[in-house]
Amino acid sequence: MEIGGKGIKSRIVRIGNSKGIRLPKLLLQESGLDEEVELEVEDGQIIIRSPERPRAGWPAAFREMARNGDDALIAR
């Protein structure tokens, strides 16, 4: 998101023994970020993204398996 051809500026502030930045509400809404984020440093930049949810698609996959009859217990 850019305003007038420039990115939004923010200040780094002290938070206890750490430092942080305040993110404008509009940026948070547009990015879909919520309570928890993943941080990564890449090429001198801090990347902020939503955490991966490894089991996010499982409920839909289980429903599809049930529709296809692939959810039967296999006993040996």
Side-chain angles (χ1 to χ4, degrees), residues 11-22:
R11 290 195 171 270
I12 297 175
V13 296
R14 180 170 294 284
I15 302 173
N17 290 332
S18 300
K19 293 187 178 184
I21 59 170
R22 291 190 181 132

Side-chain angles (χ1 to χ4, degrees), residues 2 4 10 20 22 32 34 37 42 44 47-48 53 73:
E2 293 188 353
S10 184
R22 291 190 181 132
D34 196 18
V37 297
E42 186 176 297
I47 313 278
I48 304 172
R53 307 226 188 282
L73 180 62

Side-chain angles (χ1 to χ4, degrees), residues 4 14-16 24 27-28 35 38 48 58 65 70 76:
R14 180 170 294 284
I15 302 173
L27 284 179
L28 291 171
E35 294 293 318
E38 288 183 355
I48 304 172
W58 284 21
M65 288 174 64
D70 293 335
R76 293 181 178 221

Side-chain angles (χ1 to χ4, degrees), residues 13-70:
V13 296
R14 180 170 294 284
I15 302 173
N17 290 332
S18 300
K19 293 187 178 184
I21 59 170
R22 291 190 181 132
L23 301 173
K25 183 178 178 180
L26 184 57
L27 284 179
L28 291 171
Q29 288 173 336
E30 287 190 21
S31 68
L33 296 175
D34 196 18
E35 294 293 318
E36 186 175 336
V37 297
E38 288 183 355
L39 302 173
E40 181 180 333
V41 176
E42 186 176 297
D43 297 325
Q45 298 180 1
I46 299 173
I47 313 278
I48 304 172
R49 67 171 59 94
S50 293
E52 291 185 20
R53 307 226 188 282
R55 297 175 186 90
W58 284 21
F62 291 146
R63 284 191 296 275
E64 183 66 22
M65 288 174 64
R67 275 194 293 270
N68 293 333
D70 293 335

